Amino acid sequence: MNLALTEDEAAFRDEMRNFFRTEIPADIRERNAAGEELSREDLVTTLQILNKHGMASPHWPLEWGGKDWTPMQHHIWLDELQLASVPEPLAFNISMVGPVIATFGSEEQKQKFLPPTQNLDIWWCQGFSEPEAGSDLASLRTVAIRDGDEYVINGQKTWTTLGQYADWIFVLARTNPDAPKKQAGISFILVDLKTPGITVRPIKLIDGGHEVNEVWFENVRVPAENLVGEENAGWTYAKFLLSNERTGITRLGFTKTKLARAKELAAQTAVGDGTLLDDPVFAARFAEIENQVLALELTQLRIVSSYVEGKENPASSVLKLRGSELQQLATEILTDVAGPDSLPFEAGEDIPTPVWAQRATPTYLNFRKTSIYGGSNEVQRTIIASGILGL
């Protein structure tokens, strides 16, 4: 593996770096870097700028706006996007349902859904998890019964991220309850959230935020033409979607920016006769995390190199496992830098506590999720044990 970028790759990196820092509004990037909650309009603005320049969905098929990039170019694109604190393209649209429709959808579905999905004219949310069917997704109980030219859906979905903003939801529902295997009787259906019988209810989180929801379906009638692919083949499409979801989940660019911010603030935080960064124990924590980031970055480059050579690499589970843990460590050390100032929540500028510190604890709490979604870290350890260590 060559750890140095080629001349062409370095030029591509510089092109991406300049684009993200000049085309995406600075105020959006600055608020994103500070950990502030971005509005729906911020995310729409960002994705539409990216889409206008062909930067929204480079991994899509060429005929639907994708790029004929190498795996290394895809890696550079995402890394520079994160380093510039650009809000990442909405995963439900760009990494999940878009590739599913492009790969398995009918021509009519592609024409109808892909352009507005790419431009965020349609905001999608994910209707997969249910009470008692999260990690064991195949146990889902939402049903879709065929009635002429429609499906009638009944059931409940939960942990529906950003469902309060969404226009449509892609749903896994059981269309054959008598299938010999529970995975075999599931279908993938596209549902307009304005359809009668749908109720979206907020789930308030421990950090005070409203990020997730529960969605109820009561005799919801959906045109049969909204079935993606074949009936009862939804489990295949769901596995394809989840593999795309894990793309870029390492988020080393994000971790680097959080660590740099924490280090800068630690150097400004007075402790005794010096600063928090002068404390050898605290400085050692930074050094340890930075070394772990470097080690994972080298691993990531090695894995990207193997993709260039057309090889499958189970070490990608290491990227998800360690990437999520490092994101958590970065948000944790930033909370420690904030100290008691991290206790107020959304108090604004009326008290001495700086806003960045007020956001530190909610961000820390929110990032507990990274070791669960995209395949829990316990699952990744099992993959590593069998696929790499041969245990």
Side-chain angles (χ1 to χ4, degrees), residues 315-331:
S316 59
S317 287
V318 175
L319 298 182
K320 196 283 170 179
L321 174 66
R322 292 300 293 142
S324 61
E325 291 174 343
L326 289 173
Q327 290 170 53
Q328 292 175 341
L329 287 173
T331 57

Side-chain angles (χ1 to χ4, degrees), residues 158-324:
T158 194
W159 309 123
T160 308
T161 303
L162 301 182
Q164 69 271 29
Y165 296 152
D167 306 300
W168 283 69
I169 182 171
F170 48 95
V171 175
L172 286 184
R174 193 166 299 284
T175 44
N176 181 8
D178 300 320
K181 292 184 178 181
K182 56 186 180 181
Q183 293 93 334
I186 294 172
S187 295
F188 193 106
I189 303 173
L190 311 177
V191 182
D192 187 338
L193 282 170
K194 295 190 296 293
T195 307
I198 297 177
T199 303
V200 180
R201 298 173 183 165
I203 299 174
K204 191 166 184 178
L205 301 179
I206 193 173
D207 66 1
H210 171 204
E211 184 181 37
V212 293
N213 305 267
E214 57 181 4
V215 182
W216 292 85
F217 299 84
E218 299 177 72
N219 295 320
V220 176
R221 290 188 166 270
V222 179
E225 65 188 31
N226 288 9
L227 171 74
V228 175
E230 299 178 7
E231 189 174 85
N232 301 321
W235 190 251
T236 298
Y237 312 146
K239 289 192 295 182
F240 173 85
L241 179 150
L242 291 170
S243 69
N244 282 319
E245 180 186 7
R246 293 168 188 148
T247 301
I249 209 167
T250 314
R251 300 192 75 203
L252 274 178
F254 167 88
T255 301
K256 289 178 182 178
T257 59
K258 283 294 180 187
L259 278 178
R261 177 66 169 154
K263 201 168 186 178
E264 175 189 355
L265 292 165
Q268 300 170 9
T269 303
V271 175
D273 295 331
T275 70
L276 187 56
L277 195 58
D278 295 327
D279 182 300
V281 175
F282 208 82
R285 284 182 63 192
F286 272 112
E288 181 179 1
I289 298 173
E290 287 169 341
N291 282 331
Q292 291 180 24
V293 168
L294 177 59
L296 188 59
E297 186 171 24
L298 295 176
T299 301
Q300 186 173 38
L301 288 171
R302 187 171 69 249
I303 292 172
V304 170
S305 296
S306 73
Y307 289 154
V308 172
E309 296 165 8
K311 298 177 182 177
E312 295 272 338
N313 196 331
S316 59
S317 287
V318 175
L319 298 182
K320 196 283 170 179
L321 174 66
R322 292 300 293 142
S324 61

Side-chain angles (χ1 to χ4, degrees), residues 9-41:
E9 289 167 347
F12 181 80
R13 177 203 60 198
D14 294 341
E15 178 188 348
M16 294 295 102
R17 187 170 295 177
N18 178 68
F19 171 81
F20 292 131
R21 285 165 171 77
T22 57
E23 295 294 336
I24 307 301
D27 69 299
I28 294 179
R29 294 190 294 108
E30 288 166 3
R31 285 186 282 114
N32 193 41
E36 297 182 27
E37 187 173 347
L38 300 180
S39 68
R40 187 185 197 277
E41 290 69 30

